[in-house]
Amino acid sequence: MLLNFHDYRAAAKRRLPRFLFDYIDRGTEDETGPRRHRSDLDAISLLPEMLTGHDQRDLTTTVFGRTLALPVAVAPTALAGLVAYDGELMLARGVAHAGVPYCISTQSVTTVERIREAAPNANLWFQLYVWRNRDLTRGLLQRAAACGITTLVVTADTPVLPNREYNLRNGLTIPLKPGGRVALDLLRHPGWTLSVLLGYLRQGGMPVYGHYPEAFRNSVARAQLASEVAIDHRLNWDDIASLRRDWAGELVVKGLLSVADARRAADLGAEGVVVSTHGARNLDSAITTARALPPIVDAVGGRVTVLADSCVQRGSDVVKYMGLGARAVLLGRAPLWGLAAGGEPGLRGVLSMLGNEIDLTLALLGRARLEKLETCIAREGDAQ
Ligand SMILES: Cc1cc2nc3c(=O)[nH]c(=O)nc-3n(C[C@H](O)[C@H](O)[C@H](O)COP(=O)(O)O)c2cc1C
């Protein structure tokens, strides 16, 4: 029975080859980040009000002028299309059903055009990794805009690839090179290999990043292209200013952890920031979201929409980040565990499970709406 995050994660672990499960599940270096996120979230206690007499809860919230049925969005995750065959199409259809947004990653397996076609009414956002070649980057943005996407999420926290040693040990490369250790891993997970890997091979080859130029599929051309589409480690605030000029819709800067950075984003005209450690997957020793969020909300919450993410496992974690000031919360791993465990129905299952947990948390807190949740965060002396 899949009743909570841990059940879905365990089912995903059985289904996915190890190189993919570890890539999604783990942190970096000594992996203190995931542990510290969990201990900070777990250390937050909530103070319920009793006998408030509410019959039903309203879980809606408004983000960038659109009502979300739940205060969550599916975070951009590279290679989500490897988790299930056409996984990104499932994410788009699943969120349309749940009434929440899905942020497509620059590094998705499926293109933004195909994803839009699969879910014409989905609330889609687009995440940008700025490539060194700015003409190619601008071309990518035009494609997203042509698909009717108005919310652009620029990721600021990945100037270089983090140190994920397990990827090296597991032999994860894109495209996959199924030799040695990977071949064994594939044999041990025949369900995934037959449906996902063979599914893509039948469609024309090893799955790669769908937005990268066509020549990226060819190994000789790929070597030449690699530097053009490498994530630009020189990315700076002038680039954010220039993206602000170029992008007519909402601009969101993702991965900020300091008040100074959040102020700069707001001063440059961003509509949103995501307080995030990339799921504790980049700088292992980075401050946790739970600690970084409150001062950022105090500083810029009146000017921009503050979103948050990293290491959410329960609906109560969503309520806690909202209690610390986030308008809504992005989910990275949880939807992927749903996809791995059961395709689109699995994804829907995860979203509805988290929705039920948020509802239950609110009910036990004596609240009818997702408002003034900061008063639910218990402080020293509150219970006296
Ligand atoms: C497998 C995986 C791939 C990711 N790929 C991207 C990406 O392409 N772009 C990005 O901005 N963030 C990426 N992230 C970070 C997520 O957007 C999000 O910040 C993080 O996953 C939230 O933490 P959670 O997974 O614990 O919910 C990725 C996260 C995971 C787990």
Side-chain angles (χ1 to χ4, degrees):
M1 245 194 292
L2 302 179
L3 297 180
N4 60 34
F5 176 94
H6 307 286
D7 295 340
Y8 279 98
R9 177 180 172 278
K13 187 171 187 177
R14 289 191 291 275
R15 163 89 174 164
L16 299 178
R18 179 163 185 179
F19 64 77
L20 189 53
F21 178 79
D22 279 358
Y23 166 67
I24 298 167
D25 189 52
R26 296 185 64 177
T28 55
E29 295 192 337
D30 299 320
E31 299 178 273
T32 70
R35 284 199 296 279
R36 288 183 302 107
H37 273 73
R38 284 310 320 162
S39 61
D40 280 357
L41 272 167
D42 292 340
I44 296 171
S45 44
L46 300 173
L47 188 68
E49 277 178 75
M50 304 304 170
L51 305 173
T52 54
H54 299 302
D55 186 16
Q56 297 215 321
R57 271 77 48 201
D58 175 0
L59 300 188
T60 60
T61 188
T62 304
V63 176
F64 307 131
R66 295 182 72 166
T67 303
L68 317 189
L70 298 174
V72 299
V74 172
T77 51
L79 303 175
L82 286 190
V83 174
Y85 179 69
D86 273 348
E88 283 123 355
L89 305 187
M90 293 178 183
L91 285 175
R93 291 193 206 105
V95 298
H97 179 262
V100 301
Y102 161 39
C103 186
I104 300 167
S105 168
T106 290
Q107 294 185 331
S108 57
V109 171
T110 312
T111 60
V112 59
E113 291 85 359
R114 277 196 68 214
I115 297 173
R116 169 54 85 201
E117 206 180 299
N121 299 320
N123 181 357
L124 297 178
W125 302 354
F126 190 81
Q127 177 266 333
L128 182 69
Y129 277 135
V130 176
W131 290 330
R132 272 195 223 156
N133 183 322
R134 297 307 158 89
D135 288 338
L136 289 176
T137 308
R138 269 188 288 277
L140 184 57
L141 289 185
Q142 281 159 10
R143 289 171 64 183
C147 290
I149 291 178
T150 61
T151 304
L152 179 68
V153 176
V154 184
T155 298
D157 63 10
T158 315
V160 292
L161 289 183
N163 192 9
R164 300 185 187 141
E165 292 153 8
Y166 48 87
N167 285 344
L168 293 176
R169 292 191 214 283
N170 290 337
L172 175 62
T173 55
I174 297 299
L176 268 184
K177 292 197 192 86
R181 184 173 290 245
V182 170
L184 213 60
D185 203 355
L186 294 175
L187 287 174
R188 285 199 182 113
H189 298 91
W192 183 88
T193 304
L194 291 173
S195 80
V196 182
L197 193 58
L198 283 190
Y200 285 115
L201 286 174
R202 261 189 245 115
Q203 295 299 312
M206 277 292 179
V208 288
Y209 301 129
H211 295 121
Y212 284 42
E214 194 53 35
F216 197 77
R217 289 177 179 273
N218 168 310
S219 64
V220 180
R222 192 164 53 246
Q224 290 163 354
L225 255 179
S227 70
E228 306 280 299
V229 292
I231 301 176
D232 194 344
H233 58 261
R234 299 159 308 182
L235 192 71
N236 61 56
W237 290 104
D238 292 339
D239 295 300
I240 300 296
S242 121
L243 283 165
R244 175 63 298 174
R245 286 191 294 276
D246 290 351
W247 184 260
E250 301 87 26
L251 182 71
V252 181
V253 186
K254 175 173 182 279
L256 302 185
L257 291 167
S258 77
V259 167
D261 281 349
R263 281 213 175 99
R264 283 191 95 154
D267 291 345
L268 287 174
E271 279 85 3
V273 296
V274 187
V275 179
S276 163
T277 58
H278 216 100
R281 294 158 51 77
N282 277 3
L283 174 64
D284 189 34
S285 306
I287 183 173
T288 62
T289 298
R291 287 170 196 255
L293 185 54
I296 290 180
V297 172
D298 283 348
V300 301
R303 291 199 279 161
V304 302
T305 298
V306 181
L307 306 170
D309 74 26
S310 295
C311 302
V312 164
Q313 297 182 350
R314 285 275 184 192
S316 55
D317 296 333
V318 173
V319 173
K320 287 177 181 179
Y321 279 158
M322 293 185 81
L324 299 179
R327 176 72 66 80
V329 175
L330 272 58
L331 307 169
R333 295 176 176 96
L336 298 184
W337 297 151
L339 266 192
E344 194 182 326
L347 165 71
R348 288 187 190 193
V350 160
L351 292 175
S352 95
M353 170 194 83
L354 288 170
N356 289 339
E357 290 178 358
I358 295 169
D359 184 59
L360 196 62
T361 306
L362 272 198
L364 289 168
L365 284 171
R367 298 300 182 102
R369 268 173 292 280
L370 296 162
E371 283 169 3
K372 300 203 174 82
L373 291 180
E374 66 281 1
T375 57
C376 295
I377 303 284
R379 324 241 167 222
E380 204 68 22
D382 265 352
Q384 289 164 13

